Amino acid sequence: MTDLLPSLSAVSQIIVVILAFSVLIFVHELGHYLAARITGVRVERFFVGFDIFGLALKKEYKGTVYGIGILPLGGYCALAGQNDDPRKQRQTNAAEELQNKPLWACGLMFGGGVIMNFIFGFLVLIAAYMYGIPFIPAVLGFLDPNGPAAVHGFRTGDRILRVDGREVASFEEAAEAIALAGAGGEMDVDVERRDAAGIAENLTIHVKGRGSNMRGNLNTIGADPERSRIVGGVVDDPVFADMLAGRLGVGDEIVRVDGVDIPPNRGERIQSMLANRPGEAVRLGVRYPDGSEREVVVPLETYGDWDMGLRIAVAIGTVTPGGPADQAGLRSGDLIVAYQLPGQSEPGRFANTKQFVDMVAEAAMKPVHIDINRGGDLLTVKAQPALQAANGDYDPEADTLLGVLGSMEGDNGFLVEQVLAGSPLAGLAQPGDYLAGLNGKPLPKGKSLREAVEEAASDSVRLFVARGGPQEGEDAVMPPRRDVPEANLSLRLAPRINPDYRRPMIGVDLLPGPIVAVESGSFADAQLGGIRRLAGSRLALWQYSPDLSTTTLRFVFPDNSPYGGGLKSFVVETPAEIRENPVAAGLMSRLPVVLKTAEEVHPMPFFPAVAAAGKKWVDLSLMVYRVLHKLVVRTLPLDAVGGPVQLFRIIKIADDRGFAYFLYIVALISVNLGVCNLLPFPVLDGGHLVFLLIEWAMRRPPPPVVRETAQWIGLVCLLALMLTVTGYDLLHLVKGTG
């Protein structure tokens, strides 16, 4: 809560989390209390927090003991005649006891907490909208060049309007709707695009997402929101921190780069302008929080790597079920140490995971022999790469793998309408030709040319081309043309894979593994001790000095290494050829700061705030059930759900984004608490309501043993779920994956 509690410390954040949670529990229990007063049920104890060791502050008033427990993460409202153990339920005729009330009164009692959570959440939402919730516009900023958004034709500046027909008002809502499609899920995204003159055009783009490497492997399209010009953080490097001190820091606004004005909410342009200047410094126009402006010169951070002679094993993360890697027997955790393509005399090794991807692409449809290390055992497997759609905007049937466009014409074969540039048939086939045979057989009926070529090909195919078409009066089936010179061609050629349509893949996610070889005479061999000292280590950090004079390399060594186990850093002189032409070596640069996302704040008058709060309240209520549905059908994994640790992180976000956003988070949690309490777990309010419905339908309560068994099962399931979610929270905290 930047404006009320500037930069909360960790202890302060814990206190705020406890207070916020205690307020929500108090609101819930207050709902039960008020329902008891309305229905005439006597309240025996009303506590916020748990009374342990008898240390609670308590006072009796008109037959009710009120108290505040020393453990603030809970609370309870004990009613006369109520007992969680059905066999110990008191059976008296006292009118003030719960079991003697009509079913509607019991239903109001058990639903009172949920109703109060809903009312409280709605009122807090109204206050948040009146105050002005900061939200991130659903406008795309940086696009991953290889991500789904860029591949499917999205552009920086596009504003997302709807995802699969659901309207979105912020980037968070858009990301949420995309995530619910499940990793790799497909969706229609409506966007508004403006040209240079500001004229808007609405487009619908069908996009297939991909799993992220963050919490829950949630679906993403590889797009970030717009960035503001305001610095939100500085790179965690003492060298840069010292050089930026007094020039550029958190809260400062970058308005110019080398004299070029940066429009508001176009901060992503700054990094794109500076990407190809490694080892340089940049002149910035900076506006400080006090309103003053001045020009400063700051260094750029260089990133990227170059081939120093290291050869690593590629570690397999996840394996796509049913994919080529799965069929070949590869498993998660395998280390790929070498590969060999057909025709290669020597195995190849990798310097990074990108080289493995490039190798698969080079293999095209040829099988690849892969040497793996599985728990110390060396194995060789053969994987056949499969072609995977690369762009959902293209019709996959249009990619024939031969670089031609056309259509299947029954028994005549494939009619060529256009020969594309780079086609293996360029200069051989021409429009009007028929591709009539494949590997000595007619093209199979009922299949596209792509399917026929993909099934028949490993390295090359033999193709029969007929020119001239059927003569008038002939049967439609194409006979050889003896009257037209060179009309019938028999060609052997390699299929052409158009990367715009599809790419060869084997279906694995990759992680960098340990070093297994060092090229003789290379930089790593001469400067870092070669394979004798580097074997089994992992390169954890690659960092350059601002002027590129030195490179810092940090390795994680195994216990049996000559360097000893653990982390060890090397500061080496950057080779002259890298310093002189860093861009050619593959290095890039960026400003050593993180820019805040662009935010908009629109405080609302009372009645518009009520309308907006009502709409958001409904959306938040339904979101819980949408997530539960996705969990049940396994579109979302269980580790996508957050628990207490995630709640702490949300409060930290509220700290960064202001008081109104904190109110929004409290409202969100209140509504979620109400919805979750309606779930039909026997130990929750929803479970009690289910028992009341059963009693109403059967005209008598369920037997005590049934209720007791159901409550124990519900309690065990709920505790298991809580422990699992908390475990995932801690795991993601350690891994840094959200």
Side-chain angles (χ1 to χ4, degrees):
M1 294 169 290
T2 310
D3 45 358
L4 295 187
L5 298 173
S7 187
L8 288 175
S9 67
V11 174
S12 299
Q13 288 171 354
I14 293 173
I15 293 173
V16 169
V17 170
I18 292 173
L19 290 176
F21 199 69
S22 297
V23 168
L24 292 172
I25 294 295
F26 169 76
V27 167
H28 183 85
E29 297 304 324
L30 180 63
H32 291 307
Y33 176 85
L34 294 176
R37 292 303 188 197
I38 292 171
T39 57
V41 177
R42 180 167 56 87
V43 178
E44 295 182 340
R45 296 168 71 85
F46 180 56
F47 269 60
V48 176
F50 290 116
D51 179 12
I52 57 175
F53 308 120
L55 299 177
L57 299 175
K58 50 191 172 183
K59 182 176 180 59
E60 184 176 350
Y61 179 71
K62 292 185 178 181
T64 301
V65 178
Y66 299 91
I68 300 176
I70 63 171
L71 185 62
L73 298 178
Y76 59 95
C77 181
L79 307 174
Q82 183 186 26
N83 195 303
D84 290 334
D85 186 343
R87 295 178 302 176
K88 298 179 181 179
Q89 191 81 40
R90 286 177 292 178
Q91 301 295 325
T92 71
N93 294 322
E96 62 185 5
E97 293 186 356
L98 179 64
Q99 77 275 7
N100 296 321
K101 295 294 181 181
L103 291 182
W104 70 264
C106 294
L108 180 60
M109 268 298 317
F110 290 121
V114 171
I115 294 171
M116 201 65 181
N117 279 129
F118 285 159
I119 293 173
F120 180 74
F122 179 61
L123 294 177
V124 173
L125 277 174
I126 294 174
Y129 277 108
M130 292 181 68
Y131 196 94
I133 301 174
F135 69 92
I136 302 172
V139 180
L140 303 185
F142 172 77
L143 304 181
D144 179 353
N146 298 315
V151 171
H152 287 75
F154 288 84
R155 298 179 188 171
T156 295
D158 285 351
R159 179 181 290 271
I160 298 178
L161 305 175
R162 284 171 293 277
V163 177
D164 274 341
R166 177 189 167 195
E167 291 190 7
V168 296
S170 66
F171 194 89
E172 293 100 328
E173 289 183 1
E176 178 185 274
I178 291 169
L180 288 179
E186 299 185 31
M187 69 219 81
D188 289 318
V189 181
D190 298 329
V191 301
E192 178 188 85
R193 178 175 296 166
R194 293 185 178 274
D195 60 18
I199 300 175
E201 174 188 13
N202 288 351
L203 305 169
T204 299
I205 302 176
H206 185 79
V207 58
K208 177 181 174 64
R210 68 181 180 193
S212 71
N213 59 357
M214 298 300 288
R215 185 185 193 103
N217 193 32
L218 296 177
N219 197 45
T220 178
I221 60 172
D224 289 338
E226 285 186 313
R227 293 282 168 179
S228 70
R229 303 179 300 188
I230 300 174
V231 177
V234 178
V235 67
D236 186 18
D237 182 342
V239 174
F240 281 100
D242 291 343
M243 298 181 74
L244 294 177
R247 306 186 205 177
L248 187 64
V250 175
D252 297 342
E253 186 175 11
I254 302 171
V255 295
R256 283 180 302 280
V257 175
D258 284 337
V260 178
D261 290 335
I262 304 298
N265 292 350
R266 287 294 184 269
E268 66 276 354
R269 293 187 182 180
I270 296 174
Q271 300 292 22
S272 62
M273 293 170 64
L274 304 175
N276 294 318
R277 296 174 53 179
E280 299 183 23
V282 62
R283 181 167 49 91
L284 302 177
V286 180
R287 181 179 298 150
Y288 296 97
D290 62 5
S292 63
E293 290 188 21
R294 66 186 175 100
E295 286 199 341
V296 297
V297 177
V298 300
L300 294 178
E301 179 188 20
T302 299
Y303 65 100
D305 53 44
W306 38 275
D307 188 359
M308 63 172 60
L310 297 176
R311 299 296 176 257
I312 70 168
V314 173
I316 296 179
T318 58
V319 179
T320 303
D326 187 26
Q327 295 176 11
L330 290 171
R331 302 175 188 170
S332 177
D334 286 347
L335 295 178
I336 301 176
V337 296
Y339 69 93
Q340 194 159 0
L341 299 176
Q344 276 189 331
S345 58
E346 295 290 335
R349 296 183 184 271
F350 313 101
N352 49 51
T353 55
K354 179 180 180 301
Q355 287 190 358
F356 180 86
V357 176
D358 291 343
M359 177 276 295
V360 174
E362 179 187 348
M365 289 180 292
K366 293 175 286 188
V368 183
H369 288 83
I370 301 174
D371 297 334
I372 64 171
N373 182 322
R374 178 179 294 165
D377 296 330
L378 298 179
L379 308 171
T380 299
V381 300
K382 184 172 75 170
Q384 172 71 57
L387 296 176
Q388 180 174 322
N391 190 331
D393 288 343
Y394 287 98
D395 178 5
E397 295 299 317
D399 183 17
T400 61
L401 303 181
L402 297 176
V404 293
L405 301 180
S407 59
M408 294 294 291
E409 299 290 328
D411 292 335
N412 290 333
F414 182 89
L415 174 62
V416 177
E417 297 174 358
Q418 182 182 356
V419 180
L420 302 177
S423 166
L425 287 168
L428 300 174
Q430 61 191 37
D433 287 351
Y434 282 84
L435 309 182
L438 187 67
N439 290 346
K441 299 179 181 179
L443 290 181
K445 295 181 180 180
K447 294 186 177 181
S448 66
L449 180 61
R450 174 190 60 80
E451 291 173 322
V453 174
E454 188 172 346
E455 289 180 2
S458 58
D459 187 7
S460 63
V461 295
R462 185 162 55 86
L463 195 68
F464 179 75
V465 182
R467 180 165 297 158
Q471 300 183 52
E472 187 174 350
E474 286 186 347
D475 190 278
V477 177
M478 181 70 64
R481 294 296 304 276
R482 298 180 177 84
D483 58 329
V484 180
E486 299 180 355
N488 307 306
L489 309 176
S490 183
L491 308 171
R492 181 166 289 280
L493 45 86
R496 167 189 181 271
I497 297 173
N498 187 338
D500 288 336
Y501 294 116
R502 44 187 60 236
R503 297 184 180 123
M505 299 181 182
I506 65 170
V508 291
D509 289 329
L510 304 173
L511 301 170
I515 296 169
V516 294
V518 172
E519 187 177 331
S520 178
S522 66
F523 179 89
D525 191 26
Q527 301 293 324
L528 302 176
I531 189 59
R532 188 178 67 84
R533 291 182 173 270
L534 297 179
S537 67
R538 295 172 184 260
L539 181 56
L541 176 70
W542 197 311
Q543 197 169 41
Y544 302 92
S545 63
D547 61 358
L548 294 188
S549 60
T550 61
T551 301
T552 300
L553 302 167
R554 184 175 297 164
F555 294 86
V556 180
F557 289 97
D559 292 338
N560 60 355
S561 168
Y563 285 118
L567 284 171
K568 182 175 178 59
S569 295
F570 299 84
V571 180
V572 297
E573 183 179 343
T574 306
E577 62 271 20
I578 305 298
R579 296 197 310 269
E580 293 167 3
N581 199 345
V583 175
L587 303 186
M588 300 184 71
S589 54
R590 59 194 170 204
L591 203 60
V593 300
V594 176
L595 299 175
K596 287 187 174 182
T597 52
E599 289 187 342
E600 296 178 1
V601 179
H602 301 292
M604 295 181 179
F606 177 73
F607 289 109
V610 170
K615 182 178 179 182
K616 176 57 69 174
W617 181 88
V618 172
D619 186 61
L620 291 176
S621 300
L622 295 178
M623 176 53 62
V624 176
Y625 292 106
R626 282 196 288 261
V627 170
L628 286 174
H629 173 259
K630 297 294 184 181
L631 289 172
V632 170
V633 300
R634 304 189 69 178
T635 302
L636 290 180
L638 186 58
D639 70 329
V641 180
V645 179
Q646 187 70 356
L647 179 62
F648 177 86
R649 295 186 70 252
I650 290 175
I651 295 296
K652 178 63 175 72
I653 294 173
D655 171 37
D656 294 335
R657 297 184 61 181
F659 181 62
Y661 194 77
F662 175 77
L663 292 178
Y664 170 76
I665 292 298
V666 169
L668 179 149
I669 297 172
S670 183
V671 173
N672 281 354
L673 185 63
V675 173
C676 290
N677 260 287
L678 280 178
L679 297 177
F681 278 94
V683 291
L684 299 178
D685 294 332
H688 290 297
L689 292 173
V690 169
F691 282 128
L692 290 177
L693 285 174
I694 294 173
E695 182 176 348
W696 173 80
M698 298 177 60
R699 299 290 189 264
R700 58 186 173 83
V705 66
V706 173
R707 293 181 57 189
E708 182 186 22
T709 302
Q711 287 186 182
W712 275 110
I713 293 174
L715 180 62
V716 170
C717 291
L718 198 59
L719 288 175
L721 179 62
M722 293 281 292
L723 290 173
T724 302
V725 169
T726 303
Y728 278 130
D729 271 354
L730 296 174
L731 178 63
H732 287 299
L733 182 66
V734 171
K735 294 170 62 178
T737 53

